[in-house]
Amino acid sequence: MKRMRVLAAALLAALMAVLPGCGRTSATPTVRVGVAVYDQTDTFISAITQHLEQMFQEEEQRLGVKINLSVADGRSSQSVQNEQVDRFLDLGCDVICVNIVNRTAAAVIVDKARAAEVPVIFFNREPVEEDLFRWEGAYYVGSPGAEAGRLQGMLVVDAWRADPAALDRSGDGVLQYVMLEGEPGHQDALLRTEHSIQTLVTGGVQVEKLESAAANWQRSQAAERMRQWLEAVEEPIEAVFANNDDMALGAIDACLEAGMTVEELPFIVGVDATAPALEAVRAGTLQGTVRNDARGQAESIVALSRALMGFEDVSEAVELTDGKYVWLSYTAVTAADVLSQAKPVGR
Ligand code: GAL
């Protein structure tokens, strides 16, 4: 059985480490890991992938095994991704990590993995619970979208409380906003949209939604939407809630193209804390973001993989909720946070 084979490799690696003269030779045991992502051009997913590549490489040293890592790009097609998973299983992968294209389609992958007895770690795109619970060897690593929504909402509530006039351009006591949503049906799009606005309402800010649309996490689609809204909407857009940073940057692009100065921009907030978004916070065009912990998610995926391949106990490697979920927290990032980090070291 696969777990036994990997365990044997782990034992062999441990033995070689204690025997004199047994360094990493041609006899170094090998394990295989397959990573399938929904779309490699996605900014946040490509950050996770880069961390995974680096961290699995570091694991080789640590565990004394060769790790054959394959990364496959599903190019937003579930059937392409299913074939990639088949190929990983044919190749004899010891664990597979899946950023599923269609989060309602996980049952097929769970069943294939179960038949091959290869554990599967889903990440970032959360399968429906029923599918994840089909087999004990299926797990999920991610961050709770509702928390991102709440933190994003709080960025706006805090700014409103500190200086309402700076946001309320029309002076009517109501915050007129637009919402740029991620992919329809994605848990983060649904939860961030709902909880950001709910936080404003419970925080005592009166709101009016002028427009909302899905821009599928993409900067160019968000810019296109924002262009249309700037032309069509008569009232001033006072705030832009974007479910992720790339879409927030798209909104900024459209506003600047329309001739707005930095001071005239609406209060724009995103999620992810990608490098270009942090630059925009520094430049004063983006008012804040929420860190989506790409590094932490990659670390958890690597730790869980290590455990599922028999190198460590799962309970020591990660903290599991309901025996299935590894949850990573979000953190709010304000301009003050970014500027304080930018201070030259040693001064
Ligand atoms: C979200 C992230 C988005 C996008 C999406 C892909 O968590 O905020 O930027 O990467 O995942 O599933």
Side-chain angles (χ1 to χ4, degrees), residues 38 42-46 99-100 123-125 143 183 186-189 192 216-217 243-246 271-272 274 292 297 330:
Y38 92 103
D42 179 296
T43 310
F44 177 70
I45 296 304
S46 85
N99 176 229
I100 196 160
F123 64 98
N124 165 265
R125 302 165 71 90
S143 299
E183 290 162 271
H186 190 301
Q187 82 281 347
D188 288 338
R192 291 174 190 172
N216 300 304
W217 310 120
N243 283 170
N244 80 340
D245 284 342
D246 274 0
V271 177
D272 281 342
T274 60
N292 197 358
Q297 293 189 19
Y330 286 98

Side-chain angles (χ1 to χ4, degrees), residues 138-343:
Y139 298 86
Y140 178 70
V141 173
S143 299
E147 188 187 325
R150 279 193 293 273
L151 291 169
Q152 191 187 51
M154 275 319 289
L155 289 169
V156 181
V157 171
D158 287 346
W160 179 273
R161 285 181 182 158
D163 184 6
L167 280 79
D168 188 11
R169 301 274 162 90
S170 62
D172 63 355
V174 179
L175 183 72
Q176 273 81 20
Y177 73 91
V178 296
M179 175 74 67
L180 286 162
E181 296 171 18
E183 290 162 271
H186 190 301
Q187 82 281 347
D188 288 338
L190 300 166
L191 293 166
R192 291 174 190 172
T193 299
E194 180 189 340
H195 290 270
S196 55
I197 300 307
Q198 208 179 76
T199 302
L200 261 75
V201 174
T202 47
V205 183
Q206 272 197 64
V207 290
E208 181 191 355
K209 180 167 81 178
L210 298 175
E211 291 287 351
S212 73
N216 300 304
W217 310 120
Q218 290 180 30
R219 185 168 180 159
S220 56
Q221 287 190 28
E224 189 47 44
R225 283 293 176 186
M226 193 67 191
R227 253 176 239 126
Q228 290 165 0
W229 293 338
L230 287 172
E231 279 183 18
V233 179
E234 282 177 12
E235 290 158 274
I237 297 173
E238 295 169 339
V240 179
F241 290 84
N243 283 170
N244 80 340
D245 284 342
D246 274 0
M247 295 190 295
L249 294 172
I252 295 168
D253 293 342
C255 292
L256 295 177
E257 273 166 38
M260 285 184 189
T261 63
V262 173
E263 291 70 35
E264 284 166 348
L265 290 174
F267 195 92
I268 303 176
V269 283
V271 177
D272 281 342
T274 60
L278 295 177
E279 264 316 302
V281 174
R282 204 166 283 130
T285 51
L286 183 66
Q287 297 304 320
T289 182
V290 177
R291 187 178 304 282
N292 197 358
D293 191 357
R295 167 176 285 277
Q297 293 189 19
E299 266 164 11
S300 296
I301 293 166
V302 171
L304 189 52
S305 301
R306 184 169 69 232
L308 294 171
M309 289 192 291
F311 292 95
E312 193 179 345
D313 275 354
V314 171
S315 59
E316 275 167 28
V318 288
E319 196 185 318
L320 281 183
T321 303
D322 299 334
K324 287 275 169 207
Y325 296 90
V326 182
W327 292 116
L328 280 292
S329 299
Y330 286 98
T331 36
V333 182
T334 62
D337 297 327
V338 173
L339 294 172
S340 68
Q341 275 168 20
K343 270 189 207 146

Side-chain angles (χ1 to χ4, degrees), residues 88-158:
F88 285 160
L89 296 174
D90 289 346
L91 277 172
C93 279
D94 299 296
V95 62
I96 54 174
C97 310
V98 182
N99 176 229
I100 196 160
V101 176
N102 174 355
R103 56 185 284 264
T104 64
V108 177
I109 292 179
V110 174
D111 290 352
K112 284 176 198 280
R114 175 169 54 186
E117 293 183 52
V118 176
V120 52
I121 303 170
F122 292 95
F123 64 98
N124 165 265
R125 302 165 71 90
E126 187 184 340
V128 293
E129 202 179 307
E130 190 183 317
D131 290 347
L132 203 62
F133 278 85
R134 285 171 85 87
W135 181 43
E136 60 183 19
Y139 298 86
Y140 178 70
V141 173
S143 299
E147 188 187 325
R150 279 193 293 273
L151 291 169
Q152 191 187 51
M154 275 319 289
L155 289 169
V156 181
V157 171
D158 287 346

